[in-house]
Amino acid sequence: MAKNKIKVGIWGLGRAGWGMHIDEIARYSDEFEIVAGCDIDASRPEKLAERIPGAKAYSDAEAFLKDENIELFVVAVRSAQHVDYAIRALETGKYVFLEKPVALSSAGLEKLAEAMAKHPGKLFFRHNRRYEAAFNHVSEIIESGILGKVYEIKLCRHNFQYRSDWQAIVECGGGQLNNWGPHLIDHALQFLGSPVESIWGDLKNINGLGDAEDTVKMIFRGTNGRLVDVEISGAVALPSPVYAVYGDRGALICEDEQDIRLRYLAPESGRPEIEASAATPPLTGSFGVVPKQKWIRKTIMVEPANEATVLDIYHHVYLAIRENIPCRVKPEEAFAVVKATEQIKLMNPAFPQKFDEFGK
């Protein structure tokens, strides 16, 4: 039996709207149909209409919002406009799928919360990396216990570039803290496995050609003592692994979301049942070495048991709307990401926040 397709209108046809959302929706053509697009550059909706016959082209936002054929508005405009546009879309009574960052400040979150209270169950958050295969597989390995008690996790996204678009400009809501930041902060909060005890962050502009940060260092500490160390940079010529996990029985490294390298103690190798000694050690053969342990070493492909991929999120939005199955990304989790982002911004006054996210 044919599915009841959700009719989509995309607001903002730039890198995200044009370059990501259209293709992701196409993966689920039995669940979604793009019926309209809107952009301040009138040529872009016209290109959408050429690409998707039957889709309406709008450059007038008010006319777009009044299109009764649209059931789900996708907000994919610039970061500083996310809150304002999401609220305007919610006020139509339709569903809204909001790009990250979902807001740039706590004040923005308050506005979103007010709108969500008036339109419960209508707003979804595009933290699509929650469905990333490597994140899910690494999470499964941690939960399996083979690495023992995990005490530190490192997350990195490194490259080397001289960025000159609006993502390099503070006033536009640019900077890596708002770009890759929401993805990795969301991962960090999930990986902590406990409430946050403290957050520390440092922002720098090394290679960026605007005034926004292109290099971010963050450390999250959980009440359980676990640390998550996060690095995002456009100034690293030799990238670090995207994931590194350290436990008291082993570790894993994932270089590029493709393979996972593991080294962990065999089940029969336990913690030595001896105590440290203050006695003078022998002249040879002892540097605190205990009986040899048996290690297991292997490299596996990234293939999570739940078969998640970073492109899955639209399917889960469909399930939420049509089958009332809650999305994995809860509103309070998306809000926690923004609060952590804001806390780090306040630690770094060299990057003043000059944006206006309320459409004034």
Side-chain angles (χ1 to χ4, degrees):
M1 185 173 70
K3 292 184 177 181
N4 181 13
K5 293 184 182 182
I6 295 171
K7 295 181 179 180
V8 179
I10 301 176
W11 201 353
L13 294 167
R15 271 187 306 251
W18 182 269
M20 289 183 269
H21 285 268
I22 293 175
D23 288 338
E24 290 175 15
I25 292 169
R27 282 173 54 87
Y28 298 102
S29 58
D30 60 332
E31 297 177 343
F32 295 92
E33 178 186 357
I34 297 174
V35 297
C38 182
D39 197 281
I40 55 175
D41 180 346
S43 68
R44 297 191 175 191
E46 291 171 1
K47 288 180 181 178
L48 176 69
E50 293 173 3
R51 181 173 174 179
I52 303 174
K56 291 186 177 180
Y58 291 97
S59 55
D60 181 340
E62 295 307 315
F64 174 66
L65 291 170
K66 290 177 182 177
D67 187 331
E68 296 184 357
N69 196 33
I70 297 171
E71 187 177 1
L72 171 69
F73 286 103
V74 172
V75 176
V77 293
R78 293 186 178 189
S79 300
Q81 300 169 316
H82 285 179
V83 169
D84 178 42
Y85 281 43
I87 291 172
R88 291 164 67 186
L90 284 171
E91 287 173 347
T92 67
K94 308 292 184 63
Y95 292 101
V96 179
F97 192 24
L98 178 57
E99 256 291 352
K100 58 80 189 170
V102 303
L104 299 181
S105 66
S106 291
L109 292 182
E110 290 175 9
K111 294 288 187 180
L112 275 182
E114 292 174 6
M116 290 170 64
K118 296 176 183 177
H119 306 281
K122 296 290 188 180
L123 183 59
F124 301 95
F125 306 95
R126 192 172 179 268
H127 282 272
N128 58 322
R129 288 254 163 200
R130 185 74 70 83
Y131 299 89
E132 177 201 291
F135 167 74
N136 281 269
H137 201 162
V138 169
S139 298
E140 290 171 7
I141 292 170
I142 292 171
E143 291 167 9
S144 76
I146 62 172
L147 304 182
K149 182 179 179 181
V150 171
Y151 59 89
E152 184 170 344
I153 300 170
K154 293 185 177 180
L155 310 176
C156 294
R157 289 300 189 280
H158 290 158
N159 63 22
F160 192 95
Q161 62 179 348
Y162 298 102
R163 192 152 191 174
S164 61
D165 65 335
W166 68 263
Q167 284 281 10
I169 301 171
V170 168
E171 190 172 5
C172 297
Q176 283 291 9
L177 195 59
N178 290 328
N179 189 11
W180 261 105
H183 293 309
L184 296 195
I185 292 173
D186 181 57
H187 284 184
L189 296 177
Q190 295 298 310
F191 276 134
L192 274 183
S194 76
V196 176
E197 180 181 277
S198 63
I199 300 174
W200 174 88
D202 180 72
L203 308 179
K204 290 182 172 66
N205 185 340
I206 308 298
N207 278 348
L209 300 179
D211 60 349
E213 79 286 343
D214 73 334
T215 298
V216 180
K217 176 78 170 182
M218 300 176 279
I219 297 177
F220 297 78
R221 180 181 176 87
T223 55
N224 58 1
R226 182 180 290 176
L227 295 180
V228 181
D229 183 325
V230 180
E231 291 183 8
I232 307 165
S233 181
V236 177
L238 292 171
S240 297
V242 295
Y243 291 95
V245 179
Y246 307 129
D248 63 3
R249 290 187 60 82
L252 72 76
I253 296 290
C254 180
E255 297 281 353
D256 57 4
E257 298 185 37
Q258 301 299 310
D259 298 288
I260 297 173
R261 182 157 52 94
L262 291 154
R263 184 174 189 257
Y264 57 95
L265 289 171
E268 61 268 28
S269 289
R271 185 180 179 89
E273 294 182 0
I274 59 176
E275 293 184 1
S277 172
T280 301
L283 291 175
T284 60
S286 177
F287 286 91
V289 177
V290 296
K292 187 175 181 179
Q293 304 294 305
K294 182 179 179 181
W295 292 96
I296 296 173
R297 298 177 178 87
K298 56 185 174 181
T299 297
I300 59 176
M301 292 178 63
V302 169
E303 294 178 329
N306 63 10
E307 300 182 337
T309 80
V310 74
L311 301 174
D312 288 351
I313 194 166
Y314 264 101
H315 174 59
H316 290 272
V317 171
Y318 178 88
L319 293 177
I321 293 173
R322 289 289 185 255
E323 300 183 22
N324 201 30
I325 297 174
C327 266
R328 191 179 303 177
V329 181
K330 301 179 179 64
E332 60 269 24
E333 294 171 342
F335 279 32
V337 169
V338 176
K339 291 174 183 177
T341 303
E342 184 175 54
Q343 186 173 337
I344 292 166
K345 289 174 183 174
L346 293 173
M347 293 178 187
N348 292 270
F351 296 92
Q353 304 307 303
K354 299 179 290 187
F355 49 77
D356 170 22
E357 58 182 332
F358 306 118
K360 295 178 182 177

